[in-house]
Amino acid sequence: MNYVSTIDDSAQSDSASKEAGPMNGAQSLVQTLINGGVEICFANPGTSEMHFVGALDQNPGMRAVLGLFEGVVTGAADGYARMAGKPAATLLHLGPGLGNGLANLHNARKAASPVVNIIGDHATVHQPYDAPLTSDVVAFAQPVSHWVHCSRNARDVAADAARAIQAAKAAPGQIASLILPADTAWNEAERAYPALPVHGPAEVGALAIRQSVAALRGGRVTFLLRGDALRGRGLAAAGRIAAATGARLVCDTFAPRIERGAGRPIVERLPYRPTPAIEFLRGTETLILVGTQAPVAFFAYPGLPSELTPPGCTPLVLAQPHEDGASALEAVAEAIGATQAMVAAKLRRPEAPLGDTVLTNEAIMRIVGQFMPEETIISDESLTAGFPFYRLLDEAPPCDYLQLSGGSIGNGIPMATGAAIACPDRQVLSLQGDGSAMYTVQALWTQARERLNVVTVIYANRAYAVLREELASVGAVEGEKAFSLLELKNPSLDWVQLANGMGVEAVRVDTCRGMAAAFQAGMKATGPFLIEALV
């Protein structure tokens, strides 16, 4: 007993010595991040962040991962958060560096992913001189952040960091941006700070439970699910409710993360375009919302509605995004006596064409379902190529499915990178359109450097195919000049060379047989592997 007590006291003493002076602001920040459970920093630093870089070097408790473009940094932090369930830090260089990462911070915000951004700025004494990189960093950060703060002296940095972590972890997950002028990093600080209490999901009120129970007993109900309702306890409870009542289970068109495949309830996916989405929900009398809002169109189209709730259907909120949707579903299941087992998908891999036939988008998804291992993490930014064949994986081996939640393309390869770091014992698959892949192709280099087990399948259709569809949908003029802005030819991208140039093994395939062989090889490989699939 005394021996154990002595060891504990010694450990606490060692920890305290790391968190007390002498230290500078950057060192106090790194230790505070670690105290708050932040274990990794995705970084693209510059001059104003060099003291933070030095602090990372001195503290073994924080892993540092370099991204060659800030969109890779922020997208990887998003993917990490979705799978780890906790925030990573990003390290970004001033306003322009943050600006380069804004698109994937937008996606992370829409996904409710917890992220702590550390953004360097000029030293406070240098800011009045309007140097070339001077900018309004707060203004850059505000549109994609729930919490923004600028430290004004080194003594406050650690306390500010503790509040940033607390904000990021607040349910359902938030973007916290802490701006760090260079002198607050290099000047002397007092100590690191401990973790602050986390504001977890709020309890759903009894009235919301009763209203949902009444709706289930009184008519045709569809559940629209997002967040923790699509995983674990929440998904299992939704499955029991569906089995007991016949209610439909539907997820948002681009849900951030959903557990799919054998052993899980099948959740239908809301169609992308307005008219099919309205028809899909037609006949529903009550649309019960769990962790999401009533559905709206991605864009406005001439003559079409923005709201996708069909006539005769009433939306009813069971749980807001910041509330405990999983517990609310369990309470509803208990109230209606839905105690029997949920109706779960049985393992039935899709049949895949394996001959020397021409490769198609459907064939790719069938091959994926036929050969992917259990518990694969799929990062899907295949857009028009993969969307029609989403349901082919309903009965495939169990997997986690991550999607482009905010609509800002260039998320897929970085998100796969972050997911692979969060779950190093699982295989990661990136289904990727060729146009959107070019936004953040640098993530392949990070995958090679970190030796991540990610297989990337590039749907090489040599076009922004989704925009060709949009051109027709909005009734715009379709001509040679218009189409030239939507194709990726003259010259065509060479994905094998692009991948090889960043240290990733790659092959090109154009038949089903070749795709099947390459996919199986990639799944068995150690490290990243890319397949350019000509479709």
Side-chain angles (χ1 to χ4, degrees):
M1 182 72 70
N2 291 336
Y3 178 72
V4 173
S5 176
T6 301
I7 294 295
D8 288 345
D9 291 345
S10 174
Q12 291 172 5
S13 176
D14 289 344
S15 176
S17 68
K18 293 178 182 178
E19 299 176 26
M23 60 170 55
N24 61 29
Q27 291 166 330
S28 75
L29 170 58
V30 171
Q31 187 58 52
T32 299
L33 290 171
I34 294 169
N35 293 347
V38 180
E39 300 171 337
I40 187 165
C41 179
F42 296 98
N44 188 282
T47 302
S48 56
E49 295 80 44
M50 286 298 101
H51 283 82
F52 187 98
V53 170
L56 288 172
D57 190 66
Q58 295 168 342
N59 198 319
M62 177 75 71
R63 179 178 178 182
V65 175
L66 176 63
L68 299 185
F69 173 66
E70 291 88 345
V72 172
V73 169
T74 55
D78 181 14
Y80 176 91
R82 294 197 202 188
M83 292 309 304
K86 59 183 179 181
T90 70
L91 181 59
L92 305 168
H93 182 44
L94 306 175
L98 171 61
N100 283 340
L102 287 181
N104 278 333
L105 284 177
H106 165 81
N107 287 324
R109 185 175 184 273
K110 292 292 186 179
S113 296
V115 178
V116 176
N117 296 311
I118 307 299
I119 307 154
D121 199 2
H122 287 302
T124 54
V125 295
H126 193 62
Q127 289 176 15
Y129 296 98
D130 195 25
L133 276 171
T134 301
S135 66
D136 190 342
V137 184
V138 171
F140 276 69
Q142 283 179 330
V144 295
S145 304
H146 301 85
W147 183 95
V148 181
H149 184 75
C150 181
S151 293
R152 282 304 170 192
N153 61 72
R155 295 186 304 277
D156 292 344
V157 167
D160 293 341
R163 291 193 296 126
I165 300 165
Q166 182 185 50
K169 290 183 175 181
Q174 298 191 136
I175 309 298
S177 295
L178 178 60
I179 300 163
L180 195 70
D183 51 340
T184 70
W186 71 53
N187 283 339
E188 184 177 347
E190 295 168 344
R191 68 186 74 88
Y193 270 68
L196 296 175
V198 174
H199 302 294
E203 183 179 354
V204 171
L207 179 57
I209 305 296
R210 291 198 300 270
Q211 289 173 329
S212 295
V213 169
L216 285 164
R217 290 172 174 163
R220 290 170 291 183
V221 170
T222 296
F223 283 84
L224 187 61
L225 308 172
R226 192 179 176 92
D228 60 359
L230 292 173
R231 306 189 300 274
R233 296 187 300 110
L235 184 58
R240 294 197 300 274
I241 294 169
T245 66
R248 293 176 70 185
L249 303 181
V250 177
C251 67
D252 286 340
T253 308
F254 295 106
R257 177 183 171 189
I258 176 173
E259 292 179 349
R260 302 187 63 201
R264 283 102 180 237
I266 293 176
V267 179
E268 301 174 86
R269 186 184 189 187
L270 187 71
Y272 173 73
R273 300 200 180 278
T275 299
I278 292 170
E279 286 302 313
F280 177 81
L281 294 173
R282 194 174 299 279
T284 297
E285 294 173 317
T286 304
L287 183 64
I288 297 181
L289 308 174
V290 186
T292 189
Q293 65 181 36
V296 297
F298 246 62
F299 301 100
Y301 297 93
L304 294 178
S306 293
E307 295 180 313
L308 305 183
T309 305
C313 176
T314 301
L316 174 64
V317 176
L318 172 59
Q320 296 282 0
H322 71 280
E323 294 181 311
D324 190 343
S327 293
L329 286 166
E330 289 179 327
V332 170
E334 182 179 357
I336 64 172
T339 57
Q340 68 269 39
M342 62 183 179
V343 178
K346 295 182 179 179
L347 179 60
R348 185 168 59 186
R349 293 177 181 266
E351 294 183 5
L354 302 177
D356 291 322
T357 53
V358 174
L359 191 60
T360 65
N361 294 333
E362 180 178 356
I364 290 173
M365 195 67 87
R366 288 186 174 276
I367 290 167
V368 166
Q370 178 67 238
F371 296 112
M372 74 176 187
E374 291 189 1
E375 301 303 333
T376 295
I377 300 168
I378 301 176
S379 171
D380 186 357
E381 197 182 13
S382 59
L383 303 175
T384 54
F387 196 104
F389 312 109
Y390 175 85
R391 296 210 63 178
L392 288 173
L393 301 187
D394 280 347
E395 299 172 305
C399 63
D400 278 273
Y401 216 88
L402 314 181
Q403 299 176 92
L404 182 66
S405 55
S408 182
I409 63 175
N411 187 229
I413 302 179
M415 185 163 61
T417 303
I421 290 174
C423 304
D425 57 334
R426 296 176 64 177
Q427 179 66 56
V428 177
L429 169 63
S430 179
L431 302 177
Q432 184 66 53
D434 54 355
S436 54
M438 284 300 295
Y439 281 54
T440 47
V441 64
Q442 307 93 328
L444 293 174
W445 181 88
T446 300
Q447 291 178 10
R449 190 186 217 211
E450 300 294 323
R451 296 177 175 83
L452 303 178
N453 291 327
V454 181
V455 173
T456 301
V457 177
I458 299 290
Y459 288 79
N461 57 18
R462 313 298 196 213
Y464 290 122
V466 66
L467 294 183
R468 285 185 173 177
E469 292 184 3
E470 293 298 294
L471 190 70
S473 296
V474 302
V477 173
E478 302 180 35
E480 182 178 350
K481 187 183 295 185
F483 277 120
S484 73
L485 296 177
L486 308 179
E487 68 176 13
L488 304 178
K489 298 177 181 177
N490 191 29
S492 293
L493 298 167
D494 188 329
W495 278 97
V496 172
Q497 289 193 38
L498 285 168
N500 288 166
M502 283 180 278
V504 176
E505 183 181 356
V507 297
R508 180 180 296 114
V509 299
D510 59 4
T511 66
C512 293
R513 186 188 303 277
M515 176 66 198
F519 186 75
Q520 291 178 82
M523 286 287 147
K524 296 175 182 176
T526 299
F529 187 84
L530 183 140
I531 303 169
E532 181 181 18
L534 302 181
V535 290

